[in-house]
Amino acid sequence: ESESMKDALRQLNPAYLKPPLRMAVGGPLLSTSYDSLKLQVDATVAALDYINVISDESTNINSSRIFNTCLHTPHGALHWASQDVDAKRLTADNVVTILRQVMDDISNGDHSRINSLSTDTCETMLKTHWLLQQYPELKHVFFIPCDSHGLQLLVKDVVTLPIFKTILDQAQKIAKAFKKSPLQLARLRKVQEELYNGKRKSLCLSIITRWG
């Protein structure tokens, strides 16, 4: 509703004189758009022979705890649901309850279509995998700990080792020094282009690779 937004819309289309109020955009228009897209997603999922589920926990802009479910499909990743878990503890048993209901909804009760479940690699999720495998209708499912999450935890542990922490701290000091001095950074880039056939490299990565 700001004048800047109204001016931008008029620049896009001079005939667009009166944009809708934000309450309409965040209310009935959003609901209509959501319902339309939901029908498309439901139709796409219903046509899938195999369903690959991805789940994770996050927080939203209000710091509410959210349990997210997405699907990996030949058409790309699809968001399925974001549930506010409120004050509920996400123990393995509680996560199992949530995921069983989600899988039932996604597959419309046909659990043979559930092909895989990918989660992070924390102890709770690993236990969740084990518990879900105990249900006869889910014994065929591939339970996949997330590689990127596992690597992230590995790197986090590695950089806390004294020898690597010292190198990383030194590299960050050098990178920060160049960031605060655009002139010196420009000179460094010129040197990099001479050394690497016209290419530039990340400063921290170059330092760590050379010293490591």
Side-chain angles (χ1 to χ4, degrees), residues 21-42:
L21 299 177
R22 65 179 183 274
M23 294 303 295
V25 174
L29 290 179
L30 179 61
S31 297
T32 300
S33 178
Y34 173 84
D35 291 341
S36 174
L37 185 59
K38 180 87 165 55
L39 288 174
Q40 296 178 49
V41 171
D42 288 346

Side-chain angles (χ1 to χ4, degrees), residues 22-198:
R22 65 179 183 274
M23 294 303 295
V25 174
L29 290 179
L30 179 61
S31 297
T32 300
S33 178
Y34 173 84
D35 291 341
S36 174
L37 185 59
K38 180 87 165 55
L39 288 174
Q40 296 178 49
V41 171
D42 288 346
T44 299
V45 173
L48 294 174
D49 293 325
Y50 300 106
I51 298 171
N52 300 295
V53 182
I54 306 167
S55 71
D56 198 8
E57 180 190 355
S58 67
T59 55
N60 63 15
I61 59 174
N62 297 318
S63 296
S64 298
R65 298 166 61 240
I66 306 296
F67 191 87
N68 302 293
T69 307
C70 298
L71 307 179
H72 183 271
T73 77
H75 311 284
L78 297 177
H79 174 263
W80 179 260
S82 291
Q83 302 168 250
D84 188 341
V85 296
D86 200 22
K88 180 185 293 184
R89 293 183 60 212
L90 288 179
T91 61
D93 289 326
N94 287 339
V95 174
V96 165
T97 300
I98 295 173
L99 283 174
R100 288 190 70 205
Q101 183 60 58
V102 167
M103 290 178 176
D104 191 63
D105 293 341
I106 294 172
S107 66
N108 198 25
D110 183 3
H111 297 97
S112 65
R113 297 172 60 218
I114 303 295
N115 182 62
S116 68
L117 170 66
S118 179
T119 69
D120 66 32
T121 55
C122 69
E123 290 185 9
T124 298
M125 285 304 180
L126 294 179
K127 184 178 179 181
T128 297
H129 291 187
W130 183 85
L131 290 173
L132 286 171
Q133 285 178 314
Q134 309 312 305
Y135 292 92
E137 69 274 20
L138 298 176
K139 282 186 175 295
H140 66 283
V141 175
F142 292 101
F143 293 93
I144 307 169
C146 176
D147 286 340
S148 61
H149 185 261
L151 288 172
Q152 183 184 35
L153 295 177
L154 175 62
V155 172
K156 180 182 177 182
D157 289 341
V158 167
V159 298
T160 59
L161 297 174
I163 183 172
F164 292 109
K165 186 175 186 306
T166 300
I167 295 171
L168 185 60
D169 288 345
Q170 291 173 341
Q172 287 180 335
K173 286 180 181 179
I174 295 172
K176 287 177 181 178
F178 278 102
K179 184 177 181 180
K180 292 179 180 178
S181 178
L183 175 59
Q184 300 304 323
L185 179 57
R187 289 173 174 169
L188 174 65
R189 285 172 174 168
K190 287 292 183 183
V191 173
Q192 286 184 326
E193 290 171 359
E194 293 173 4
L195 291 174
Y196 304 119
N197 297 321

